[in-house]
Amino acid sequence: ADISTLKRTIRAIEIALYIQQNPQFLHNLPKQHLPKPILFGLNPERNVRRTRIENRLNERLQNNALINEVETLIKQGVEIDTLKYYGLEYKFVCEFLENKYSFEEMHLHLQIAIQQYAKRQMTWFRKMEKDGFEINWLPNNLDIYEQVKWVEEKLKNSKCL
């Protein structure tokens, strides 16, 4: 593990907490001193994104793994309303466990909801770009290791590392 990354993460949390407790800090800071974020994004072709979402959901539902996870959390005392708050998968599985859906209906509704969420994310990113944020879109033809190297190179060139 990269120790400097852990240190940077801890420092970022400390700064965020300080700003949260001292909101006037940002108002008194000259704009040129504000850090410029470096944004990275994944933007596979629509059909690839859909297939990945379907495959991931199928893997999560295989052998009732996701359902067992939710049941275990409920047995440990996590409230169903709390679980529903934490994500689409938990929401729909809780509703399945409450007999609002059959397994097939839950699977279909969850798949549609995740696809819609992914579409909203892409709309959000396009708006960010229109608002002047630069997003470094990872090339779709790279495997995960090549993507990591690509990101590292971008970070080195930005003098963040």
Side-chain angles (χ1 to χ4, degrees):
D2 183 359
I3 295 172
S4 69
T5 302
L6 178 60
K7 286 181 184 178
R8 287 172 187 247
T9 302
I10 292 169
R11 185 66 181 137
I13 292 169
E14 291 170 344
I15 291 168
L17 289 173
Y18 177 83
I19 291 170
Q20 188 177 38
Q21 295 166 357
N22 302 280
Q24 74 283 1
F25 174 78
L26 287 180
H27 297 294
N28 298 334
L29 191 65
K31 292 226 185 254
Q32 68 267 23
H33 293 294
L34 291 175
K36 183 180 178 202
I38 298 174
L39 306 173
F40 294 93
L42 300 172
N43 188 14
E45 293 179 27
R46 186 173 296 148
N47 62 335
V48 171
R49 183 172 42 248
R50 285 181 164 279
T51 300
R52 287 179 182 170
I53 289 170
E54 288 174 22
N55 290 344
R56 181 182 179 279
L57 179 58
N58 290 337
E59 286 174 19
R60 296 277 287 143
L61 292 173
Q62 190 174 21
N63 300 322
N64 290 327
L66 179 59
I67 294 167
N68 293 338
E69 177 183 328
V70 172
E71 288 175 327
T72 300
L73 290 169
I74 293 169
K75 286 177 188 170
Q76 292 174 347
V78 180
E79 298 288 329
I80 287 180
D81 286 341
T82 301
L83 284 172
K84 288 179 181 181
Y85 174 79
Y86 282 113
L88 290 171
E89 290 179 342
Y90 288 162
K91 175 182 181 266
F92 282 91
V93 171
C94 285
E95 291 176 353
F96 163 73
L97 293 173
E98 295 172 323
N99 295 315
K100 291 183 181 176
Y101 298 118
S102 69
F103 181 86
E104 292 77 20
E105 290 171 323
M106 181 259 315
H107 186 180
L108 178 64
H109 289 301
L110 180 53
Q111 186 170 318
I112 291 168
I114 295 170
Q115 298 289 358
Q116 290 170 336
Y117 184 76
K119 185 177 179 180
R120 285 192 307 274
Q121 284 180 318
M122 295 313 298
T123 300
W124 178 266
F125 290 135
R126 283 192 300 276
K127 183 183 180 317
M128 286 180 69
E129 287 181 313
K130 287 179 186 172
D131 289 343
F133 288 92
E134 178 186 352
I135 299 176
N136 295 281
W137 296 104
L138 277 74
N140 293 324
N141 60 339
L142 303 179
D143 68 28
I144 186 69
Y145 301 105
E146 294 169 324
Q147 287 179 342
V148 168
K149 288 180 184 177
W150 187 88
V151 168
E152 286 175 340
E153 193 60 36
K154 287 281 187 182
L155 290 171
K156 281 181 200 170
N157 292 335
S158 70
K159 299 181 180 35
C160 275
L161 289 180

